[in-house]
Amino acid sequence: MIFWGIFWGAVLGWALPGYRYSDLAPFVGGFLGLFAGLSLRWVVRSAIRSELQAHAAKQVARPAPVAAAAAAPPTLAEDWAPGAPSAAVVAPVRVPAAAAPAAREELLEVPDAPAMGGLTPQGLPPIEASAPPPRRPAPPSTPNAIEQAVLAAKNWFLGGNTIVRVGLVILFIGLSFLARYAASAGLLPVEFRLAAIAGVAIALLVVGFRKRVDKPAFALALQGGGVAVMYLTVFAAFRLYGLLPPMLAFGLMIAVCATSCALALLQDSRSLAVAAFAGGFAAPILLSTGQGSHVGLFSYYTLLNLAILFIAYKRSWRVLNVVGFVATFGVASAWGVLKYVPDQYASTQPFLAVFVLIYLFAAILYARNTPTKLGNAVDTMLVFGTPLVGFGLQAGLAQPFELGAAFSALAFAALYLLAAMVLVRRALENYRLLIECFIAIGVGFATLAVPLALDAQWTSAVWALEGAGAFWVGMRQARWMPRAFGIVLQGAAMLAFMDGVSSISRLPLVNPAFLGALLIALPALLLAWWLRKPLPHSGSTWAKAYAGVEARLSSPAYLYGFAFWCLAWVLEITRRVPSLEANQWPVAVFSERITELLIMLAVVLSAALSMVLGLRTRWAVATWPARGTIAVLAMGFVAQVGDGYRVLATPAWAVWPVVLALHVWMLRQTDRLQAAADADGKPAAGASAFGWFHAATAWLVTFLLADCLWSGIGKAELWRTSWAGVVMLVSAIAVLMLLALWAGRGNRPAARAALPWPLNPHAEAYYWLAALPLAVLVFWGSLLAAVHSSGHTAPLPYIPLLNPTDLTLALALGSLVFWRRVLVSALPPPAKAGWVTGRHALVALALLVFIAINTVWLRVAHHFFGVRWDASALFDSFVVQTGYAILWTLLALSMMVLAHRRAQRPLWLVGAGLLGLVVVKLLLIDLSNAGGAERIIAFIAVGVLMLVVGYFAPLPPKAAPRAVPDAPPVSPAAPVAPVQEESLP
């Protein structure tokens, strides 16, 4: 409706014939169409609203019939019954307010229902219809900025005396047309025309002031129009016609502003005050020649703002505060961007400080003058807009100065925290919301000042401490928002620290890297301690949701703090000192090898201190870092081996016993805590979970022992011999045998219960979890050593079966057999150990024994017969082939004789198969050595051995079938049914 009013008004204005100012006609028509549309919409809505109200009043005024269902009417039998009452007393029934409209509509549709004796026309009792549930009204939509502006214009025109306001607009337009017509026709001098218009403005002011009691709305409208006309008259006299000098025009506008302000206060008119100050703030802009001084401009604005502050002391006119705030800081920002130069700092800074103070006090005065049920109201634009805009301008002023922005932020923080402290000291309970806003602003500026003044590492440290302080305040006051802010600051501190971390400093322990990480770790650990138990909160929906999140943050916060604690020591250990010479790289304080050892020692010591803290305070999460020490030791060992640094080197030989002792102590304390938790019935990790830590410790010991042996190999310079090739295998064999002998004693529950820690309760973890990977390593390592090792024993001579390779293979086979026996005798057997205790494992061991024995002959042939240690050379050697024929025949003879004595037919068949393989090899390989002595020896030796086999070890007989046990005798008490023979049909 409004849009169409504007549209058709513009069309009519454009089409109006003979209009002198045709260029302005569409705009004038659209402007008038706007008010026509607003008026028409208001009239239509008023009419509809009146009809609805009249209809609702008519429905309420109509009498509602008495509900017959309140008391059932007496039936015909009851009426005829003797002693029946002649009339039934009907109790009044209260109808719920929500169901009243539905009930009225139902009764209106059936007006004769009570007269029918409670029966429907069909003779049935009426059924009461339940009223539909009332629909919840949809929440009103929030108008946007354009709708708010249109609404404000509509309220001004249609609120109060609409005719007077429209008449003022029309009068204003008419006066402007009159002035333009007189100027174009040259009827009257310009001075007279402006004086006449000013006289009309004064007349409006006088008439409006005199009618302020009889018709206040009419009077205020006249006075507002008079003020506007006076402002425009002075502006026209100065800017358009040049009749007034700048100072005189400025003084006249000040006089108009002061007069209208006084009239507004006298009549308690907010709109008149807004008009007065809007003109006052616009006066310097309208009358500016571009040659004025900023000191005069801001001095004038200071007077206006002081007047607004005085009015704020008397009245809670928020719109007036907003007008002053927008005008003051808007003009100041524009001037700062366009005109400000650093030389004007001394004459500009005081005005900015005064403006900030004025609107800070204006926010406090507005809160004082606007009490509500929940406390004094807060003007968010003044409370938050003043520091934000003010700091933006202040940062621009202080830009040329070193740390100017940081000190400006500190000044704003001090100002708002001081204001909050003053309000708190005066015990103004109703100002709680304003106090909280001031504290938040002060804390925010203090937080902002840190990165503006310090580097990333110090910034992160201050933010972490500030976050802990905010969390403590929220904890003491049972408020969730400060606690959430403190946790967020911890995350921001971490990001800031990691973004600019640097370990270059000459100062030990007091450098930014170490202190920055330490000051992040300690507040985080403190937060984790506070979060151990549920903290109080206000009980609101947001507070309850946050409490659920907060309850799960204690453990992550502690681990986060512990990680930064360790990081602090890592940064200190890896610290570098700036070089004394120019253009040189910084120099590390410690060598790379010492750095690795110190980092490992620092982390393990930190985990031990955390364990002590957990034991003394019964804080479970403090014991968790102890579970990660095995990973730290493993990474330290890998880094050390990667650098070619041995465990027995100095000072590693002194560090490793310390860290291993601490690790074992922490394992012991972890098991004690688990046992205590099991005794109390609390859920805890199972023994197998911690058993993996014990198993990993055994693996680490294996590698450490191998590293010690490698140290001996290096000192003896035996890297190119077989001694170096079997070092890892020897270490695995030694640890496997130790686990089988030591932990194998606890392979049964009764025996395990009598053993000390750690076998009780982790014996299975040692002889199964820890030993299984070692057994696999021993098996495949023995296979590789047997195939690849040539048995080079320099500086010692090669002795068959007494060289490092053969001895290691023998020890490997013995350790595997002994470990398997431990598993076979275990009760109950370990889970998934069937493939080790079954026959397949025996077959694998037999295959390994066969390969080991064959490679012994290969090494003998290499060392004593000069056969090159190469696969092709060994295969092509008839010496090797002849030896294989004799060796395999001896092996077959041994198996067949043993099988004959034990009557083990399968073992005899295996020996016979090996003997057949020998015969095939003689025919295919050895027979090709024509004229060689090796062929003669092979055939004669094999033939003789086969005769021996046939004499001493014939095929054992088949095992006799097992006798079926006799059936138990039939009890005489149980009758036996006679067996009937089948008969042919």
Side-chain angles (χ1 to χ4, degrees), residues 484 813 860:
L813 292 170
V860 170

Side-chain angles (χ1 to χ4, degrees), residues 153-530:
K154 184 190 74 172
N155 291 336
W156 188 85
F157 279 104
L158 304 182
N161 198 334
T162 305
I163 298 176
V164 174
R165 296 181 180 181
V166 175
L168 285 173
V169 173
I170 295 174
L171 176 61
F172 182 80
I173 296 174
L175 290 174
S176 62
F177 287 164
L178 175 61
R180 182 177 293 272
Y181 174 76
S184 61
L187 298 178
L188 298 172
V190 65
E191 293 86 353
F192 181 81
R193 295 196 303 267
L194 293 177
I197 294 174
V200 173
I202 294 173
L204 290 176
L205 287 172
V206 173
V207 174
F209 183 75
R210 295 189 64 180
K211 295 294 182 179
R212 68 184 184 280
V213 178
D214 299 338
K215 297 181 179 181
F218 175 79
L220 289 175
L222 292 181
Q223 294 175 68
V227 170
V229 172
M230 286 297 299
Y231 274 128
L232 293 178
T233 302
V234 176
F235 171 73
F238 170 75
R239 177 66 64 185
L240 300 179
Y241 303 105
L243 299 178
L244 296 178
M247 294 305 298
L248 179 58
F250 186 68
L252 289 176
M253 282 199 169
I254 292 177
V256 173
C257 177
T259 302
S260 55
C261 181
L263 292 175
L265 288 177
L266 182 62
Q267 302 171 74
D268 196 15
S269 174
R270 184 180 312 176
S271 59
L272 189 58
V274 170
F277 279 97
F281 281 107
I285 309 302
L286 298 175
L287 303 178
S288 175
T289 60
Q291 305 297 326
S293 171
H294 66 282
V295 176
L297 173 65
F298 292 144
S299 300
Y300 170 68
Y301 273 19
T302 302
L303 295 176
L304 290 181
N305 286 315
L306 289 175
I308 290 177
L309 185 62
F310 175 76
I311 294 177
Y313 179 76
K314 298 291 185 180
R315 304 284 191 274
S316 59
W317 291 348
R318 181 177 182 273
V319 64
L320 185 61
N321 298 335
V322 172
V323 168
F325 174 81
V326 172
T328 300
F329 287 101
V331 172
S333 300
W335 177 84
V337 172
L338 299 176
K339 300 290 186 179
Y340 176 74
V341 293
D343 295 339
Q344 298 171 338
Y345 172 79
S347 59
T348 306
Q349 180 66 76
F351 290 109
L352 179 58
V354 170
F355 292 156
V356 171
L357 289 175
I358 286 175
Y359 284 99
L360 171 64
F361 285 110
I364 298 174
L365 292 175
Y366 178 80
R368 188 200 66 171
N369 296 332
T370 315
T372 63
K373 294 181 179 180
L374 301 178
N376 292 47
V378 171
D379 188 347
T380 54
M381 180 175 230
L382 296 184
V383 171
F384 295 101
T386 301
L388 291 178
V389 179
F391 179 74
L393 296 175
Q394 178 62 36
L397 294 179
Q399 184 177 4
F401 303 101
E402 184 179 2
L403 302 179
F407 285 110
S408 299
L410 283 178
F412 273 87
L415 174 63
Y416 278 88
L417 291 177
L418 179 63
M421 184 179 66
V422 171
L423 293 177
V424 170
R425 284 179 175 268
R426 299 185 66 176
L428 301 176
E429 292 294 334
N430 293 333
Y431 288 78
R432 180 175 180 179
L433 181 58
L434 183 64
I435 293 172
E436 293 177 356
C437 293
F438 282 175
I439 291 176
I441 294 171
V443 171
F445 275 111
T447 305
L448 180 62
V450 177
L452 294 175
L454 305 176
D455 59 6
Q457 296 170 359
W458 288 114
T459 297
S460 61
V462 175
W463 280 359
L465 293 174
E466 184 181 352
F471 191 92
W472 178 80
V473 172
M475 182 179 62
R476 292 292 301 270
Q477 297 180 355
R479 297 169 58 205
W480 69 272
M481 291 188 67
R483 301 206 296 264
F485 176 71
I487 294 174
V488 170
L489 268 184
Q490 294 293 324
M494 182 268 293
L495 295 176
F497 182 84
M498 300 305 295
D499 182 61
V501 60
S502 175
S503 58
I504 301 176
S505 177
R506 296 185 182 276
L507 301 175
L509 300 180
V510 290
N511 55 82
F514 177 76
L515 289 181
L518 196 64
L519 292 178
I520 291 177
L522 295 179
L525 296 175
L526 196 58
L527 259 67
W529 176 261
W530 289 334

Side-chain angles (χ1 to χ4, degrees), residues 663-869:
H663 171 68
V664 173
W665 176 80
M666 285 184 280
L667 284 180
R668 173 63 172 150
Q669 301 306 320
T670 302
D671 289 337
R672 284 183 177 178
L673 292 174
Q674 180 194 0
D678 293 340
D680 296 340
K682 298 179 181 179
S688 59
F690 293 108
W692 283 106
F693 298 122
H694 291 262
T697 305
W699 302 334
L700 178 63
V701 170
T702 303
F703 286 100
L704 291 175
L705 178 59
D707 190 81
C708 294
L709 295 176
W710 274 320
S711 298
I713 295 295
K715 290 184 178 180
E717 298 181 355
L718 300 176
W719 289 110
R720 298 182 178 273
T721 65
S722 297
W723 298 98
V726 297
V727 165
M728 189 66 211
L729 185 58
V730 169
S731 176
I733 293 170
V735 177
L736 180 62
M737 284 296 297
L738 176 64
L739 294 177
L741 290 171
W742 175 61
R745 299 177 298 163
N747 61 350
R748 300 194 178 190
R752 186 183 309 163
L755 295 175
W757 182 89
L759 297 182
N760 184 17
H762 297 295
E764 183 176 332
Y766 284 104
Y767 72 75
W768 171 241
L769 293 179
L772 178 60
L774 296 178
V776 173
L777 176 63
V778 168
F779 180 86
W780 291 104
S782 301
L783 184 61
L784 292 176
V787 173
H788 290 282
S789 178
S790 63
H792 182 57
T793 59
L796 300 178
Y798 175 81
I799 301 176
L801 301 180
L802 296 180
N803 58 83
T805 303
D806 296 340
L807 289 176
T808 302
L809 293 177
L811 291 174
L813 292 170
S815 63
L816 290 174
V817 171
F818 187 80
W819 174 66
R820 182 179 177 276
R821 287 185 177 181
V822 172
L823 294 180
V824 170
S825 61
L827 290 177
K832 300 180 181 180
W835 64 277
V836 179
T837 58
R839 292 185 176 181
H840 298 289
L842 291 177
V843 174
L845 288 175
L847 181 62
L848 179 61
V849 170
F850 179 74
I851 294 174
I853 293 175
N854 281 274
T855 56
V856 169
W857 164 242
L858 291 178
R859 282 183 286 274
V860 170
H862 170 64
H863 286 279
F864 290 100
F865 295 94
V867 181
R868 190 175 74 255
W869 187 256

Side-chain angles (χ1 to χ4, degrees), residues 48-62 105:
I48 295 174
R49 190 181 301 108
S50 300
E51 290 294 333
L52 292 176
Q53 292 176 355
H55 181 71
K58 184 178 180 181
Q59 294 291 340
V60 173
R62 179 175 294 178
E105 292 177 4

